[in-house]
Amino acid sequence: MPVSSTFMFVSPLDPERRQSLSALLATLTCLPGFADPDNVEIPFARLPGLHFARFVILDDNAAADNAVYDVEIPAKLAFLGDIDGTRDAFVKDLVRIAGPGLSKIFAHCLDFNAAVPLEAWLIAHNVEPAVNYSNWPGRSVQQVQEEAALREALLRYLPQEQQQAASPSDLHRRLRSRVKRDGPYTASLPTTPLGESLREMLHFVASAILLLALVPLLLIVAPFYLVFLRRKENSDASATARPSAQHLRTLFVREDLDVTNQFSAFGTVKPGRFRLWTLIAVFWIVGFATRHLYTRGRLARVGSIHFARWVFLDDHRRLLFGSNYDGSLEAYMDDFVNKVAFGLNLVFSNGIGYPRTRFLVLDGAKDEQTFKHYIRRHQLPTEVWYKAYPGLTTADIARNARVRLGLEAETMSNALARQWLAEL
C-alpha cells in the first residue's frame, strides 16, 4: 500500500497566554471548532495529502477522577493529523505554506524558540502514536476526492444515457464512454512499493513468531497475573460523577457540524508499573491487529472510524485518544459498547476513573451510563478540526471506490451492471 503517516506536535502551553491562544485559534474556524479550510494562518486545504487535522489543548479535565491519586496535569498544545506520504515531506510543505501561522500559534508555548528553524522544532516535538488505525491504509485524499467527483458526474450523466441504453450492460458502456469523453479524470491507483510489502510481511511474521514463542511463558505467568489484577481491580477507585453542564455545552457546540465528528479524550494512566506494562502489552496486540488485520474498513465490527490513535505522553503517564468517526458520539459509544465492550475495557480500564472491571475485559463499559459519563468527563473540546472531504462517510468513500472500479471494467454482464448501477 502507498505510504501514509501521522504527525502530532506537542508543546507545554504558557498558562498566561491561554486566552490569547484560544482567540487566535478561533480565527482559523468558520463555526465553533470547525476549520475554515482556507483561513489565512493555516490554509488546511492547500496542504498536500492532509486527510484530517486538529488543534487541541490537552488539559486536566477530570479533576474529580485525578484527585483520588493527587494527580495534576499541566496544559499542552497539540497539533495532530493524518497524511499521505512521509511525515518529513509533509512538514516541509507545512512550513512552506503555513510557517508564519504555525510560529504565531506555537509562540504561546513555553519552549517555543523562534531562533530554531521551524521545521527542526516541529520534528523535535513530534510524538509517535502507541497505536494508529486507518480505515483503509493507502487510500489517498486525492483518490477519495476524485472518486466522489466521479460518482457525482455519473449521476448527472445517468438520465441522458439511460434513455438511449438498450440494457444495463449497454448503459454501463455508455457511461464509461461518456466519462472518457467529458470527464472527470481519475488518476491511476498507485501500487504498493515492493519494499513496503516486504516490510509489512516481515513485521507480520516476526510478530507472530514472537507471540508464539511467548505463549508457554504467558501460560505460566497468567494465574499470578490474574490474582494480582483482581486485587488491583478491587482496590482501584472508580469515579461516577456526571460531566458538568457547562463542559457538555462546550462539547455540544462543536459536534454534528458534518456527517463526521472529531473526538479527543485525555486522561492519566493508573499509577504503578503493573498498569503501565499491562497497557503496553495491550497496545502491542492492538497495534498488530490494526496494522495487519483491520485494514479494510472495520476496526473489529465497527466501520464508522476514519482514523484513530492512542498516544502516550509525559513519560507514559498520560494517554490521548483521538478519532474521526461518522455519526453522533452517542451512536459511536453505543457501537463500541454493544459490539466490542471488552476492547474498551482492555485499554481504558488502565486509566484513572474508569468503571470497575473484572479480569480486565468484563463489566466496565457494560455499566453504560457510568462509562458514558467517564467518556464525556475526559473528552476535550477540539479547538480547530479539519476534514479534507466534508459530507463523506466511510460508507460513502467505500461505495465511491466500488463505483470507480466497476466503471474501469471494459465489459460487464447485465447482472453485474445492475449491481453496479445500484451503487449509484
Side-chain angles (χ1 to χ4, degrees):
M1 64 190 72
V3 173
S4 57
S5 311
T6 66
F7 67 89
M8 179 172 170
F9 311 126
V10 182
S11 184
L13 181 60
D14 182 347
E16 295 184 0
R17 304 198 65 194
R18 179 165 182 162
Q19 188 173 353
S20 169
L21 174 63
S22 294
L24 175 58
L25 291 177
T27 68
L28 277 61
T29 65
C30 53
L31 292 168
F34 199 80
D36 174 357
D38 301 308
N39 75 84
V40 174
E41 305 295 352
I42 313 290
F44 296 103
R46 291 176 52 202
L47 297 172
L50 179 64
H51 289 258
F52 290 87
R54 74 185 69 184
F55 283 96
V56 59
I57 296 174
L58 308 180
D59 205 354
D60 183 351
N61 194 47
D65 296 15
N66 297 335
V68 177
Y69 293 90
D70 193 25
V71 170
E72 185 177 349
I73 303 175
K76 301 175 184 63
L77 174 64
F79 176 40
L80 58 150
D82 306 280
I83 53 177
D84 299 323
T86 66
R87 183 187 305 113
D88 287 349
F90 175 78
V91 170
K92 290 181 185 300
D93 288 329
L94 179 64
V95 171
R96 174 176 55 84
I97 294 169
L102 275 173
S103 295
K104 191 185 297 186
I105 290 168
F106 279 108
H108 292 78
C109 295
L110 293 170
D111 67 349
F112 183 75
N113 186 349
V116 176
L118 182 58
E119 182 179 336
W121 188 89
L122 290 172
I123 290 174
H125 285 75
N126 184 70
V127 181
E128 294 285 352
V131 177
N132 187 62
Y133 169 74
S134 172
N135 181 271
W136 199 284
R139 182 177 280 161
S140 68
V141 171
Q142 180 182 356
Q143 179 185 345
V144 170
Q145 293 174 338
E146 286 183 351
E147 289 171 352
L150 174 63
R151 181 174 178 270
E152 289 177 4
L154 287 169
L155 288 172
R156 290 197 307 271
Y157 301 152
L158 185 61
Q160 303 165 22
E161 302 299 334
Q162 200 167 20
Q163 293 176 1
Q164 304 178 53
S167 65
S169 60
D170 185 40
L171 179 55
H172 170 266
R173 181 185 61 78
R174 285 179 172 276
L175 288 170
R176 192 169 186 271
S177 298
R178 181 71 179 271
V179 169
K180 278 189 173 182
R181 185 178 76 244
D182 300 335
Y185 170 80
T186 53
S188 299
L189 295 177
T191 57
T192 304
L194 179 60
E196 178 73 12
S197 297
L198 289 174
R199 266 194 304 275
E200 290 301 299
M201 185 182 301
L202 286 172
H203 184 273
F204 177 87
V205 171
S207 300
I209 290 173
L210 177 61
L211 185 59
L212 288 172
L214 288 175
V215 166
L217 176 62
L218 294 175
L219 291 174
I220 295 171
V221 171
F224 302 98
Y225 173 84
L226 292 174
V227 169
F228 196 68
L229 172 66
R230 285 301 294 145
R231 287 177 56 192
K232 287 287 188 182
E233 289 176 327
N234 287 329
S235 61
D236 284 341
S238 176
T240 59
R242 291 173 176 267
S244 71
Q246 181 181 354
H247 176 61
L248 290 176
R249 282 194 297 271
T250 305
L251 298 174
F252 291 161
V253 75
R254 289 166 165 80
E255 294 177 355
D256 301 326
L257 302 175
D258 185 77
V259 293
T260 304
N261 273 303
Q262 47 70 33
F263 179 79
S264 305
F266 187 56
T268 302
V269 180
K270 290 174 179 175
R273 294 181 180 179
F274 178 81
R275 284 295 189 176
L276 176 58
W277 289 351
T278 294
L279 194 50
I280 290 173
V282 167
F283 277 154
W284 187 86
I285 296 169
V286 174
F288 176 85
T290 57
R291 183 169 179 174
H292 298 293
L293 305 179
Y294 301 129
T295 60
R296 287 298 179 264
R298 290 188 175 275
L299 177 58
R301 292 191 292 153
V302 177
S304 60
I305 304 173
H306 293 259
F307 292 91
R309 73 178 77 184
W310 292 262
V311 187
F312 280 122
L313 293 160
D314 296 337
D315 195 25
H316 291 74
R317 289 173 300 186
R318 324 278 186 235
L319 184 68
L320 169 72
F321 174 68
S323 67
N324 305 283
Y325 65 93
D326 297 326
S328 68
L329 182 64
E330 191 73 18
Y332 182 49
M333 290 190 290
D334 288 341
D335 221 13
F336 272 95
V337 168
N338 295 330
K339 295 177 180 178
V340 284
F342 73 93
L344 295 171
N345 294 342
L346 272 173
V347 175
F348 295 109
S349 68
N350 296 291
I352 290 176
Y354 192 80
R356 193 161 287 171
T357 55
R358 285 186 299 120
F359 298 109
L360 205 61
V361 296
L362 302 176
D363 298 338
K366 287 298 185 180
D367 184 354
E368 185 174 331
Q369 204 54 57
T370 302
F371 167 74
K372 289 179 177 179
H373 290 336
Y374 170 86
I375 289 294
R376 283 296 195 182
R377 284 198 313 276
H378 286 269
Q379 186 182 357
L380 300 176
T382 298
E383 302 290 327
V384 183
W385 177 68
Y386 169 75
K387 178 186 177 185
Y389 26 88
L392 293 179
T393 66
T394 57
D396 294 332
I397 294 168
R399 176 206 57 209
N400 293 347
R402 293 193 299 269
V403 168
R404 183 252 186 86
L405 288 175
L407 189 69
E408 290 179 349
E410 292 188 9
T411 60
M412 198 176 268
S413 68
N414 280 329
L416 288 176
R418 285 192 191 93
Q419 292 178 20
W420 177 77
L421 288 166
E423 298 277 14
L424 295 177

